[in-house]
């Protein structure tokens, strides 16, 4: 009888390398926004009064509330990771849920803001906007372009966090595939010899998949923490971008 | 014929064979083996290169005589646009890093794979999606884009052709590039084998590393620029519309802030290949290892400072024009450093005239002409006259085709035995090179002259005094393509019928020559420990 | 799990509080009449807030120097791009 050893989880486990890769991706996101910030800088330089006027048509309080929402979501994000590091899976799930809820609130507020502007006829290409000055056209173009691009990243971030929430809410697992050529008898025994499962696979079966769930394995938990950290890094970046967007769009004097 | 390496180890090409067609196909389409991903890229990229060449000779056929020859003016505009999009985004930018970087970077640093194998596969999927979108843009709705591959506003916003789809294709392809760059930087930092210090890495790896940084830091700018073009077309955002306060020159700035560093994405890997081939076929260690390594980083850095030289006639301010002109003269220096060191390596070496080395000589000669014509263009006074003429077209084909193109062919010939376990017969390759070299210069040197005389680029028609030049160029294109066909046919035939190759057919010193041809799935039975530089030969000076 | 640095919850809360505070500061400063300095102040305060998030929430403070170097390279690239573009725009 051949005993098949469950393979060691993974040789190549390098959390720092994994985080480095994520940071490199974040750098590309920073440069992505840099392009549109460049346009903003040039047009603000060329139309200072119009940009000031444009800023006054935005509601500073609403922008401030959205800023606080995102800052708090960053807090709940790190708390989620901190709890997972300490082994508190439930706490991590709760904090992650709070992060997602706050992110959704941000989007809801944004929708109301945009709706307000669109309701007043102020949107890209509108007739109303054509009546306004060149500088205001640039301001509103940038307002919608920058907050739109940012909102897109919020949506993607929420998607990533939702996937993380799903994975955290269930136990970590690994699937092992074993070949089972021909007529084989399969049995699963625990380390101390207790028989866990017994069965026969007939000739039509050519493989068996075993799914192993781990609640206390250090390495599995380590990998989960790295994944959550990387997801968190993306979310924090979304926050950092808004930290710059808020004063640049709402607080121009 | 079996690809089994000596000792019966299964090669990466054969793993998964024998289980039936669909499992075999799945083992390729869902592979995470960097070598297989390199081959997947090889097949897809070279297919698009072939399409790009077809578009090119069609253009040359139209231009053999003034007036209409075979196609109308609108079709001509679409032809040069699609030729540019395919050659730049689907061939040259991914080319060397995606094929040879993927295949050889891990092996050359003593690793079993890249750091993120699944992201590697994702980057190829992005390539395929981008390629499909590019093809879709040719046929759907408004027809193939006719803006030139540079998609300048305002025309790109107003034209009814499929700019949005084409631009989205470029966006997706950019993603592929970013993921490759991310993977390579992480791999080089984290997966070098024991003893492989930074200054013991092959120069090919240094080039790919510098390239990867450009891929990471420049590509996002084109991404946001393309997004803005899509937003202009779909939602009338107006940020580049002069009637509403926008500045079209800002589009050009954003476009070239990526597209200039992009040309260094194109050339650096080819220079890396040259730095490998020359020491091997000189049977000598490389001259000036550190200078070449540092010059790769210098090129990457300086490449960010010069984009304005594409815009000298756009309406940019005078101050910025002389600043960009000065900076452009600087960027030639690190490239020149490389050429001097390569030549110094050959000096007093035992030179073995393999076809790969012949193509490297072609590279050095043709790239030098390209580089020198670039220097001519950097001078503001000259640029006013030659901008948007055939002089520019000649220049960039010398550097991109004579440089990267010949470099890529050299890479194919050099690494073919390792990748496929077979040798390519030499004689047809020499003949192919001859045709290519003669045809290339007939085609593109003539363009330099035509441009100097005033022939504008992207023009469907021309005045009769340019006819002779155009005829010579078109004939040159036929000779060039004949050469390409000879080389392609010889290489493809060798995949199936070539003589079996040993692990080290050339007497190379880098790690890939120490493993079987073709390599097994995880490259090394035992990860190597490095004790000397990459080009060190026993008995020679240690670099 | 030595890999993952353990930062006390209280530290995170203090950083959050500082961020909220600076948000208030930047709004207040925008209300003052400081002329040309207001742009600089806005960028400066945003940079402080961003740095707090990067260093503490994103753990940049505790990562190896390579991470900080990579970020610096990206920021330098950004600065160069802005500077050279303005070489055109402001001197036309």
């Amino acid at each position: 009888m051949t005993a098949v050893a469950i393979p060691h989880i993974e040789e190549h486990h390098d959390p720092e390398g994994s985080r480095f890769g994520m940071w490199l991706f974040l750098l590309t996101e920073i440069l992505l926004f840099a392009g549109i910030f460049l346009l903003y800088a040039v047009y603000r330089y060329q139309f200072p009064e119009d940009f000031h006027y444009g800023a006054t048509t935005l509601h500073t309080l609403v922008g401030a509330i959205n800023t606080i929402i995102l800052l708090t979501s960053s807090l709940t994000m790190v708390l989620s990771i901190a709890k997972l590091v300490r082994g508190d899976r439930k706490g991590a799930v709760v904090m992650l849920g709070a992060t997602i809820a706050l992110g959704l609130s941000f989007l809801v507020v944004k929708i109301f803001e945009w709706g307000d502007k669109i309701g007043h006829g102020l949107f890209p290409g509108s007739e109303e906007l054509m009546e306004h000055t060149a500088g205001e056209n640039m301001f509103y173009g940038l307002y919608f372009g920058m907050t739109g691009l940012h909102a897109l990243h919020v949506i993607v971030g929420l998607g990533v966090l939702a996937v993380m929430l799903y994975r955290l809410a269930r136990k970590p697992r690994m699937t092992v595939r074993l070949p089972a050529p021909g007529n084989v008898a399969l049995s699963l025994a625990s380390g101390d010899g207790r028989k866990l499962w017994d069965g026969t696979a007939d000739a039509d079966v050519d493989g068996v998949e075993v799914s192993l769930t781990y609640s206390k394995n250090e390495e599995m938990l380590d990998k989960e923490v790295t994944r959550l950290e990387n997801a968190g890094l993306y979310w924090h970046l979304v926050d950092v971008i808004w930290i710059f967007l808020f004063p640049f769009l709402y607080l121009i004097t | 014929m079996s690809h089994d390496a000596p000792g019966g180890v299964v090669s990466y090409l054969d793993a998964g064979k024998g289980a039936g067609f669909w499992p075999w196909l799945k083992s390729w389409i869902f592979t995470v083996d960097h070598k297989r991903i390199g081959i997947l890229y090889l097949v897809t990229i070279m297919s698009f290169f072939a399409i790009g060449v077809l578009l090119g000779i069609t253009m040359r056929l139209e231009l053999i005589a003034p007036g209409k020859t075979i196609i109308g003016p609108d079709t001509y505009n679409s032809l040069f646009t699609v030729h540019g999009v395919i050659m730049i985004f689907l061939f040259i930018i991914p080319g060397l890093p995606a094929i040879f970087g993927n295949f050889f970077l891990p092996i050359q640093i003593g690793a079993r794979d890249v750091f993120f194998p699944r992201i590697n596969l994702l980057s190829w999927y992005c390539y395929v999606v981008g390629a499909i979108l590019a093809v879709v843009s040719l046929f759907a709705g408004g027809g193939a884009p006719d803006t030139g591959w540079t998609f300048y506003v305002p025309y790109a916003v107003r034209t009814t052709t499929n700019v949005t789809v084409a631009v989205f294709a470029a966006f997706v392809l950019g993603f592929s590039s970013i993921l490759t760059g991310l993977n390579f930087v992480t791999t080089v930092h984290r997966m070098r084998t024991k003893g492989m210090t930074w200054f013991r890495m092959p120069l090919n790896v240094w080039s790919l590393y510098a390239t990867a940084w450009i891929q990471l830091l420049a590509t996002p700018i084109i991404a946001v620029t393309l997004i803005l073009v899509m937003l202009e077309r779909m939602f009338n955002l107006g940020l580049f519309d002069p009637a509403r306060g926008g500045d079209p020159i800002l589009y050009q700035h954003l476009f070239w802030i990526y597209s200039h560093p992009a040309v260094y994405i194109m050339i650096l890997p080819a220079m890396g290949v040259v730095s490998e081939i020359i020491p091997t076929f000189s049977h000598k260690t490389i001259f000036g290892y550190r200078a070449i390594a540092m010059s790769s980083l210098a090129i990457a850095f300086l490449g960010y400072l010069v984009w304005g030289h594409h815009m000298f006639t756009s309406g940019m301010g005078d101050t910025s024009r002389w600043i960009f002109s000065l900076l452009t003269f600087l960027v030639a220096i690190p490239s020149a450093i490389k050429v001097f060191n390569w030549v110094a390596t050959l000096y007093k070496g035992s030179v073995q005239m393999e076809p790969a080395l012949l193509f490297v000589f072609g590279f050095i000669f043709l790239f030098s002409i390209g580089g020198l014509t670039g220097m001519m263009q950097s001078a503001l006074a000259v640029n006013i006259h030659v901008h948007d003429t055939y002089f520019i077209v000649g220049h960039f084909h010398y550097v991109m085709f004579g440089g990267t193109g010949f470099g890529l062919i050299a890479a194919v010939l050099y690494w073919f035995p390792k990748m496929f376990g077979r040798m390519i017969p030499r004689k047809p390759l020499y003949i192919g090179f001859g045709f290519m070299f003669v045809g290339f210069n007939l085609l593109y040197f003539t363009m330099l002259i035509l441009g100097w005389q005033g022939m504008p680029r992207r023009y469907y028609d021309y005045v009769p005094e340019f006819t002779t030049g155009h005829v010579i160029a078109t004939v040159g294109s036929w000779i060039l393509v004949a050469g390409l066909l000879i080389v392609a046919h010889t290489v493809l035939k060798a995949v199936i019928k070539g003589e079996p190759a040993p692990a080290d057919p050339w007497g190379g010193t880098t790690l890939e020559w120490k493993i079987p041809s073709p390599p097994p799935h995880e490259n090394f039975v035992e990860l190597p420990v490095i004790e000397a530089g990459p080009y060190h030969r026993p008995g020679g000076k240690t670099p | 799990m030595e890999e993952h640095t353990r930062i006390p919850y209280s530290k995170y809360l203090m950083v959050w509080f500082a961020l909220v505070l600076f948000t208030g500061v930047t709004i207040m400063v925008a209300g003052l009449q400081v002329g040309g300095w207001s742009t600089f102040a806005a960028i400066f305060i945003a940079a402080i807030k961003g740095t707090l998030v990067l260093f503490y929430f994103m753990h940049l403070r505790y990562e190896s120097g390579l991470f900080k170097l990579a970020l610096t390279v990206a920021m330098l690239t950004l600065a160069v791009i802005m500077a050279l573009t303005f070489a055109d725009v402001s001197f036309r």
Side-chain angles (χ1 to χ4, degrees):
Chain A
M1 176 162 89
T2 323
V4 180
I6 300 298
H8 182 60
I9 292 182
E10 220 174 87
E11 275 175 41
H12 169 62
H13 179 49
D14 179 4
E16 188 179 354
S18 183
R19 283 199 305 276
F20 186 58
M22 189 66 206
W23 271 97
L24 290 176
F25 182 68
L26 294 185
L27 297 185
T28 70
E29 292 283 23
I30 290 175
L31 278 151
L32 185 85
F33 278 91
I36 203 166
F37 271 100
L38 179 67
L39 280 185
Y40 167 90
V42 172
Y43 288 138
R44 176 165 166 177
Y45 170 81
Q46 291 179 337
F47 303 110
E49 285 99 26
D50 284 336
F51 269 56
H52 167 61
Y53 175 72
T56 60
T57 68
L58 300 177
H59 300 290
T60 305
L61 182 62
V62 175
I65 290 173
N66 253 356
T67 307
I68 305 294
I69 289 177
L70 273 189
L71 290 174
T72 313
S73 76
S74 268
L75 176 67
T76 52
M77 185 72 232
V78 286
L79 289 178
S80 172
I81 298 168
K83 285 190 180 292
L84 191 63
V85 167
R86 289 159 174 77
D88 177 5
R89 217 180 169 76
K90 282 212 178 65
V93 168
V94 167
M95 281 296 148
L96 193 52
T99 311
I100 295 174
L102 285 164
L104 283 168
S105 321
F106 176 90
L107 285 177
V108 167
V109 172
K110 202 92 227 92
I111 291 173
F112 276 109
E113 271 193 287
W114 275 32
D116 178 54
K117 285 283 160 296
I118 295 171
H120 281 108
L122 289 168
F123 54 89
S126 71
E127 281 173 29
E128 165 70 37
L129 203 50
M130 298 293 185
E131 315 275 314
H132 290 241
T133 64
E136 280 172 71
N137 269 276
M138 291 302 103
F139 176 81
Y140 285 110
L142 283 166
Y143 169 73
F144 281 103
M146 289 165 97
T147 57
L149 193 62
H150 178 258
L152 195 66
H153 283 77
V154 172
I155 294 172
V156 168
L158 287 175
V160 169
L161 293 182
V163 168
M164 294 270 55
L165 188 67
Y166 169 72
R167 290 177 95 150
L168 269 188
R170 55 164 211 190
K171 287 199 183 134
R173 66 191 54 195
M174 188 178 83
T175 306
V176 177
R177 282 173 196 81
L178 307 165
N183 219 328
V184 290
L186 295 160
S187 76
L188 223 53
S190 65
D192 55 2
R194 272 181 306 124
K195 200 172 247 185
L196 297 171
W197 180 83
D198 217 336
T200 316
D202 71 11
D204 282 344
V205 173
D206 48 20
V208 171
E209 230 174 67
V210 178
S211 186
L212 307 153
T213 55
Y214 296 75
S215 43
K216 285 207 172 59
N217 182 288
E218 280 284 320
E219 230 181 293
M220 290 296 272
L221 189 55
D222 219 21
K223 279 174 58 165
E224 281 197 304
V225 169
T226 304
R227 253 184 251 132
L228 190 62
E229 278 180 331
N230 284 346
L233 284 175
Y234 185 81
W235 186 253
H236 291 303
L237 189 76
V238 165
D239 185 20
V240 170
I241 292 167
W242 182 259
I243 284 175
F244 283 89
L245 276 182
F246 171 58
F248 285 175
L249 291 172
Y250 292 76
L251 302 178
I252 309 171
T253 56
Chain B
M1 143 108 205
S2 158
H3 288 281
D4 266 6
V9 180
V10 179
S11 90
Y12 79 98
L13 283 170
D14 284 334
K17 261 199 185 149
F21 175 71
W22 290 112
W24 172 83
L25 189 66
K26 282 199 322 196
S27 79
W28 276 89
I29 306 282
F30 296 110
T31 183
V32 288
D33 179 345
H34 66 102
K35 300 181 288 299
R36 286 194 163 196
I37 294 176
I39 300 292
L40 288 172
Y41 267 114
L42 178 67
V43 171
T44 38
I45 289 175
M46 296 318 284
S47 307
F48 277 93
F49 175 64
I51 298 174
V53 170
L54 269 168
L55 292 168
I57 44 176
T58 311
M59 285 160 62
R60 279 313 325 161
L61 197 52
E62 167 57 40
L63 290 165
I64 196 172
K68 175 172 172 168
T69 312
I70 45 167
I71 51 173
D74 290 336
T75 312
Y76 182 76
N77 291 346
S78 296
L79 271 188
F80 68 67
T81 304
V82 178
H83 171 79
V85 168
I86 288 183
M87 286 304 204
I88 290 182
F89 292 117
L90 286 166
F91 172 60
I92 303 193
I93 287 177
L96 279 159
I99 302 172
F100 298 100
N102 266 317
F103 202 106
F104 288 103
L105 186 137
I107 300 177
Q108 286 194 323
I109 59 171
R112 297 197 187 284
D113 210 308
V114 291
F115 194 96
F116 298 111
R118 285 174 301 183
I119 290 185
N120 206 6
L121 183 63
L122 178 64
S123 82
W124 182 69
Y125 288 164
C126 285
Y127 178 88
V128 171
V129 168
I132 291 174
L133 284 168
V135 171
V136 164
S137 81
L138 302 178
F139 303 112
D146 60 350
T147 56
W149 77 275
T150 45
F151 299 114
Y152 273 16
V153 300
Y155 184 63
V157 178
R158 292 182 198 156
T159 178
T160 53
T161 58
N162 284 327
V163 167
T164 307
V165 177
V167 148
F168 187 58
F171 177 84
V172 174
L173 290 163
F175 222 79
S176 172
S177 194
I178 285 175
L179 292 176
T180 302
L182 190 159
N183 228 334
F184 286 2
V185 172
T186 315
T187 304
V188 171
H189 275 276
R190 305 300 293 186
M191 292 179 79
R192 282 166 290 124
T193 190
K194 189 149 180 269
M196 172 76 69
T197 60
W198 281 86
F199 289 110
R200 285 183 183 164
M201 292 195 313
L203 289 168
N204 183 46
V205 178
W206 274 102
S207 291
L208 288 168
Y209 179 75
T211 306
W213 272 107
I214 309 177
Q215 286 175 293
L216 277 173
L217 295 182
T219 316
I221 303 283
I222 194 73
V224 73
T225 312
L226 296 171
I227 290 174
L228 287 169
V229 170
M230 289 192 274
L231 291 177
E232 293 273 320
R233 284 181 67 90
M234 296 195 300
F235 299 116
N236 220 333
L237 205 61
L239 286 173
F240 299 121
D241 185 353
R244 287 155 61 184
D247 185 355
I249 299 182
L250 281 182
Y251 169 84
Q252 293 190 28
H253 276 298
L254 279 177
F255 181 84
W256 289 110
I257 288 173
Y258 164 71
S259 300
H260 191 83
V263 313
Y264 297 107
I265 297 177
M266 300 175 201
I267 198 64
L268 273 172
M271 291 173 159
V273 169
V274 171
S275 297
E276 294 293 313
I277 292 179
I278 287 193
T280 299
F281 291 128
S282 315
H283 295 285
K284 239 182 106 190
T285 191
I286 192 86
F287 185 91
Y289 173 92
R290 282 197 186 217
I292 299 182
M294 293 295 107
S295 71
S296 296
L297 296 179
I299 290 173
F301 166 65
L302 289 170
Y304 277 93
L305 307 182
V306 300
W307 79 81
H309 67 228
H310 298 268
M311 299 164 56
F312 283 150
T313 63
S314 65
M316 229 172 39
D318 277 347
T319 312
S320 57
R321 288 199 288 181
W322 64 253
I323 292 176
F324 276 118
S325 174
L326 181 65
L327 289 168
T328 307
F329 280 110
L330 286 179
V331 82
I333 299 173
S335 301
I337 289 176
K338 285 192 197 269
V339 174
F340 294 146
N341 282 304
W342 291 329
V343 173
T345 307
L346 287 161
Y347 180 64
K348 288 203 174 157
S350 172
V351 176
Q352 186 183 340
M353 229 15 214
E354 294 289 337
L357 187 64
L358 193 54
F359 274 89
V360 160
F361 287 160
F363 171 99
I364 294 178
F365 180 78
L366 298 171
F367 176 73
S368 297
I369 293 182
L372 289 168
T373 51
M375 285 297 98
M376 292 166 72
Q377 289 157 203
S378 315
L380 287 174
V382 174
N383 194 284
I384 306 292
H385 291 278
V386 301
H387 180 71
D388 270 347
T389 68
Y390 268 44
F391 192 82
I392 308 292
V393 179
H395 156 74
F396 65 67
H397 281 95
Y398 265 94
V399 283
M400 292 206 279
F401 192 172
T404 305
F406 274 59
L408 192 141
I409 297 176
V412 170
L413 303 182
Y414 182 60
W415 277 315
F416 184 93
K418 182 59 52 185
M419 293 164 87
F420 296 103
R422 296 183 187 267
M423 301 299 288
I424 313 176
R426 284 189 193 81
K427 202 143 125 214
L429 292 176
Y430 292 131
I431 297 174
F433 175 84
F435 273 83
M436 282 186 70
F437 191 79
V438 168
F440 184 96
N441 284 295
L442 272 179
L443 171 55
Y444 296 117
F445 201 86
T446 311
M447 283 194 187
L448 293 175
I449 297 173
L450 276 172
W452 199 258
Q453 292 173 332
M455 171 73 204
R457 69 183 286 201
R458 293 176 172 164
Y459 265 47
Y460 168 75
D461 197 0
Y462 52 83
V463 292
E465 46 252 52
F466 292 133
T467 309
T468 315
H470 277 285
V471 171
I472 297 174
T474 302
V475 170
S477 76
W478 296 338
I479 301 174
L480 172 60
V481 169
L484 273 171
L485 285 171
I486 294 172
V487 172
H489 172 257
T490 313
V491 171
L492 284 171
K493 197 161 140 197
V495 173
I496 315 171
K497 293 209 174 127
E499 288 297 304
D504 186 9
W506 313 126
T509 54
T510 41
L511 284 174
E512 72 268 32
W513 306 112
K514 307 208 185 334
I515 59 177
S517 303
H521 176 54
E522 291 213 319
N523 305 335
F524 303 95
V525 173
E526 246 179 61
L527 292 177
V529 176
I530 309 300
E531 280 155 20
Y535 309 108
H536 171 66
R537 287 169 185 271
K541 265 197 332 204
T542 312
Chain C
M1 267 200 296
E2 345 70 45
E3 260 285 357
H4 307 280
T5 37
R6 251 180 221 224
I7 299 165
Y9 295 142
S10 57
K11 194 158 212 164
Y12 287 139
L13 281 158
M14 284 197 305
V15 170
W16 174 82
F17 190 70
L19 287 166
V20 174
L21 204 72
F22 275 112
T23 308
V25 167
T26 198
I27 295 174
M28 203 193 65
V29 168
L32 306 171
Q33 298 298 335
V34 284
W37 285 102
S38 74
T39 316
F40 174 75
I43 296 177
F44 185 67
I45 297 171
I48 293 178
K49 287 166 75 180
T51 308
L52 281 170
V53 173
L54 282 161
F55 265 47
Y56 291 102
F57 284 175
M58 296 168 82
H59 290 183
L60 192 57
R61 172 127 188 273
Y62 309 100
E63 297 280 15
S64 82
L66 177 65
F67 288 60
K68 298 180 186 97
L69 182 62
L71 179 65
T72 309
V73 167
M75 300 312 286
L76 276 174
T77 308
L78 211 159
V80 160
I81 289 172
M82 295 255 175
L84 282 172
T85 307
F86 270 88
D88 169 29
V89 168
S90 43
F91 293 111
R92 282 215 196 136

